[in-house]
Amino acid sequence: MLDHQGREVPGNRGYKYFGRAKDLPGVRELFEEQATGRPRKATKAELLRRIDAAYFGYGDENDDGELLEYERSVTEKRIRRLRSAHDATLEDSDSSDADAETQQ
């Protein structure tokens, strides 16, 4: 907005359209472009407000039991694999002990 001498009036921040002038073709599009500018980033506090226990995975076991069943089966498989590896290690050590005794 300019005063009668052609200088910009302080405090108007570049706003130059009043009343019905805002509805003129092209002017409305300018306002829409300014309104759809870059969205501001959410602050850390705003982001943390949306986090609850579900974000960390608490309460998943209450859904339908499918997760618990899967975890149980995977745990059983791992235990069997560890036991078989441990048994194989024991057998190897027993046979190496027996070999050592026969060599003496």
Side-chain angles (χ1 to χ4, degrees), residues 28-48:
R28 179 175 291 158
E29 287 79 15
L30 288 173
F31 285 119
E32 289 173 359
E33 285 177 21
Q34 290 174 356
T36 60
R38 179 183 288 177
R40 72 173 186 85
K41 287 186 170 183
T43 64
K44 185 174 182 178
E46 291 170 344
L47 294 174
L48 291 175

Side-chain angles (χ1 to χ4, degrees), residues 2-21:
L2 305 175
D3 63 4
H4 66 282
Q5 294 176 349
R7 294 178 293 178
E8 190 165 345
V9 178
N12 69 349
R13 294 184 220 132
Y15 186 74
K16 297 180 176 102
Y17 301 98
F18 299 95
R20 301 266 325 226

